[in-house]
Amino acid sequence: MSLSKTVTIFGSTGSIGKSTVDILERNPELYKVKALTANANVELLAEQAKKLNVELAVTADETKYDELKQLLSGTNISVAAGRKAVIEAAELDADWTMSSIVGAAGLEPTMAAIKKGKTVALANKETLVCAGSLVMQAVKDCKATLIPVDSEHSAIFQVFDFEQIDQIDRILLTASGGPFREKDISFMEKATPEQAVAHPNWSMGAKISVDSASMMNKGLELIEAYHLFGLPQEQIEIVVHPQSVIHSAVAYKDGSVLAQLGSPDMRTPIAYALGWPKRIEAPSPKLDLIKFGSLTFIAPDEVKFPALRLAREALKEGGVMTAIMNAANEVAVDNFLKKRIAFTDIAKVVEKVMNKSQNHTAGTIEEIINIDAQARKSANDIIA
């Protein structure tokens, strides 16, 4: 393969961003990186920018501008800061953009990248959770290509026959069950942030790890799958698979079930998205099925993990309810990580915000952002 793609990464200092940078560093002849953006970790951002010889480095934190400027002095790398600068970076003419900013903050830059009509690798599930209909319509209108990077959605994407959707019986969305899969509710009531982020299989950021522990992450992925693949939620089944070997599967009406398997390493779906429609080599460990011996599957417990029920209810309601749910969850998780509320309070806060919020249909991203802000205020008021 010859050099064929220019690349921009949003959230380069996060877990997904660092894995993407790792693959790019191993394939310098294939890609030219135009821009990197991060939140406040400007030391790592500057280090990445130098290694990849990027054109532009952006910190979303305006107070970090001078520090980033100093770290990159003596280079030809341009520096910018602030929310608008991140969005402007999305408007650069890159062939391929990684969207891996955590939370609803990734919505605006992701939409800006989609409107360029190029390829967007989506690792920010909240973009579709908050504004799925608007985002998918923009993908269609702008003739952009959206490639999912979540391991589950990447797995489905690889075995989903878009030409014969009417022959698909259901999607099997797998979940590890997180660190509390075998714990009882009394344990979870006293769980610490350190215990919640200790995922048994995956190395992820704190927020996503807590979502995995509460299984809200799987609820968000359910909503994401609904928008990505166009099936009603009744045809999306969640299956707990503790080994995280089968990343997800698609069942067809003829009885065939096609699954994608691999080691639990995010560099595999990232490499798939980077190389698409071809494939490139990834440094992920090779899957050894003999080592695992057996694979197990369990039905999810929606009593112990009410976030799954809340996600299904929000999706069924439609409108802006999934955006409300997501905003409340982000606030609740942040407060749990700061040890202000108990782990089991996360779902309680989300449900209270959903119950007191008025639902309607939003026609613009600006409306979604306003709804997000209102839900965050409601969640903070409840917690206070």
Side-chain angles (χ1 to χ4, degrees):
M1 293 176 66
S2 60
L3 177 65
S4 59
K5 291 180 183 177
T6 52
V7 171
T8 291
I9 304 174
F10 297 101
S12 68
T13 60
S15 176
I16 296 294
K18 288 188 286 188
S19 292
T20 306
V21 168
D22 178 43
I23 295 173
L24 292 171
E25 286 179 343
R26 296 168 187 266
N27 296 276
E29 73 285 358
L30 299 181
Y31 305 97
K32 167 61 180 168
V33 183
K34 295 181 77 73
L36 300 177
T37 83
N39 187 24
N41 189 352
V42 292
E43 287 189 7
L44 179 56
L45 174 61
E47 180 185 324
Q48 293 173 332
K50 290 176 183 177
K51 283 183 178 180
L52 294 173
N53 191 29
V54 308
E55 296 176 15
L56 172 66
V58 182
T59 170
D61 187 342
E62 293 183 356
T63 67
K64 296 286 186 176
Y65 174 80
D66 290 338
E67 184 179 352
L68 181 60
K69 187 77 172 175
Q70 179 62 36
L71 287 166
L72 291 174
S73 63
T75 72
N76 293 321
I77 300 170
S78 298
V79 174
R83 182 183 67 86
K84 289 185 178 179
V86 173
I87 297 170
E88 288 171 359
E91 294 170 346
L92 293 175
D93 195 25
D95 299 319
W96 188 95
T97 298
M98 168 59 80
S99 171
S100 58
I101 296 173
V102 175
L107 175 57
E108 286 183 289
T110 302
M111 280 293 279
I114 288 170
K115 288 179 179 178
K116 296 299 292 184
K118 299 296 181 69
T119 299
V120 176
L122 186 67
N124 170 267
K125 60 179 65 67
E126 290 85 357
T127 290
L128 289 179
V129 170
C130 293
S133 298
L134 294 175
V135 171
M136 296 309 294
Q137 187 61 49
V139 169
K140 182 179 179 181
D141 293 344
C142 301
K143 295 181 171 57
T145 300
L146 195 64
I147 302 178
V149 175
D150 273 345
S151 63
E152 297 83 357
H153 302 89
S154 175
I156 296 164
F157 186 83
Q158 293 183 53
V159 297
F160 193 95
D161 190 344
F162 287 91
E163 300 298 321
Q164 298 189 76
I165 294 179
D166 62 325
Q167 292 304 309
I168 293 174
D169 178 63
R170 68 196 189 284
I171 286 172
L172 300 169
L173 191 64
T174 60
S176 70
F180 301 152
R181 178 175 58 84
E182 296 182 333
K183 305 297 184 182
D184 57 28
I185 293 176
S186 62
F187 176 92
M188 292 162 66
E189 287 173 343
K190 300 175 182 177
T192 66
E194 293 75 19
Q195 290 170 321
V197 301
H199 197 283
N201 300 337
W202 297 93
S203 175
M204 305 181 292
K207 192 270 180 183
I208 299 174
S209 296
V210 174
D211 281 348
S212 179
S214 71
M215 291 199 73
M216 176 59 85
N217 198 46
K218 206 53 50 179
L220 299 177
E221 289 175 5
L222 163 76
I223 298 166
E224 185 180 7
Y226 168 83
H227 289 293
L228 280 170
F229 303 109
L231 294 180
Q233 70 155 304
E234 292 77 17
Q235 287 180 255
I236 305 173
E237 180 181 347
I238 296 173
V239 179
V240 176
H241 170 49
Q243 294 84 10
S244 296
V245 170
I246 295 178
H247 296 302
S248 276
V250 176
Y252 288 84
K253 291 181 179 179
D254 65 1
S256 299
V257 179
L258 304 185
Q260 186 266 346
L261 287 70
S263 300
D265 188 322
M266 283 305 299
R267 290 176 297 182
T268 296
I270 292 169
Y272 176 79
L274 262 171
W276 187 90
K278 299 182 179 180
R279 291 182 184 264
I280 62 172
E281 188 171 345
S284 311
K286 305 305 179 187
L287 178 62
D288 184 353
L289 287 173
I290 304 298
K291 172 187 171 183
F292 283 96
S294 62
L295 303 177
T296 54
F297 305 92
I298 309 160
D301 185 341
E302 294 192 6
V303 174
K304 193 164 74 170
F305 298 104
L308 288 174
R309 170 181 58 82
L310 295 175
R312 287 200 179 275
E313 289 176 359
L315 182 56
K316 186 176 181 179
E317 270 203 53
V320 295
M321 191 53 67
T322 55
I324 291 168
M325 180 198 73
N326 178 74
N329 180 66
E330 287 190 24
V331 170
V333 169
D334 181 61
N335 277 272
F336 166 68
L337 287 169
K338 292 174 179 174
K339 301 185 177 181
R340 294 171 180 164
I341 63 172
F343 176 78
T344 48
D345 287 334
I346 296 173
K348 294 176 184 176
V349 169
V350 173
E351 186 160 23
K352 286 181 180 179
V353 173
M354 289 172 62
N355 287 340
K356 70 180 294 188
S357 299
Q358 290 188 331
N359 192 20
H360 66 275
T361 300
T364 66
I365 294 298
E366 289 71 24
E367 285 184 67
I368 295 291
I369 292 170
N370 289 335
I371 289 294
D372 177 270
Q374 293 169 22
R376 288 172 190 274
K377 181 181 184 305
S378 179
N380 278 312
D381 289 345
I382 288 168
I383 290 168

